[in-house]
Amino acid sequence: MAKVPSAVVAASGLVGGYGVARWTKKRPLGGAVLAVAGAAAAQQWRKQAGGTAAAVLGAAYVAAFAGSHPLAKKIGAWPSVLGVAGAVALASWAVADRRA
């Protein structure tokens, strides 16, 4: 089975978490999607780039989630989520996936 890059897992967690929360109108369900994808990405980051890199990328993931909220007030919800997901995916690729 082909391995899914951690950049895709992390970006999917941010986009999927928001989508699930929006479409189901159940924010905790979206949060669960966000958390599961974040944990899966963190595990890959740790294996590929080590604990320090995983901690930094994990902090970026959480910061992207938090930062998407005020950004959404300026540019809209979906553009905000897609923008931060892209930023996290790029960071993940640069730090962890590029080496694999």
Side-chain angles (χ1 to χ4, degrees):
M1 178 183 286
K3 184 178 147 210
V4 178
S6 63
V8 173
V9 174
S12 297
L14 290 160
V15 174
Y18 174 69
V20 166
R22 182 171 179 151
W23 290 316
T24 65
K25 308 234 185 297
K26 296 186 187 324
R27 292 179 77 179
L29 189 56
V33 170
L34 180 80
V36 168
Q43 185 177 21
Q44 284 184 261
W45 294 329
R46 189 169 55 274
K47 285 181 184 176
Q48 293 173 333
T52 302
V56 170
L57 289 169
Y61 185 79
V62 172
F65 167 70
S68 69
H69 291 82
L71 184 59
K73 293 181 191 302
K74 296 181 188 287
I75 66 171
W78 278 112
S80 173
V81 170
L82 294 173
V84 301
V88 168
L90 181 61
S92 180
W93 175 82
V95 173
D97 293 336
R98 180 172 53 142
R99 300 175 186 196

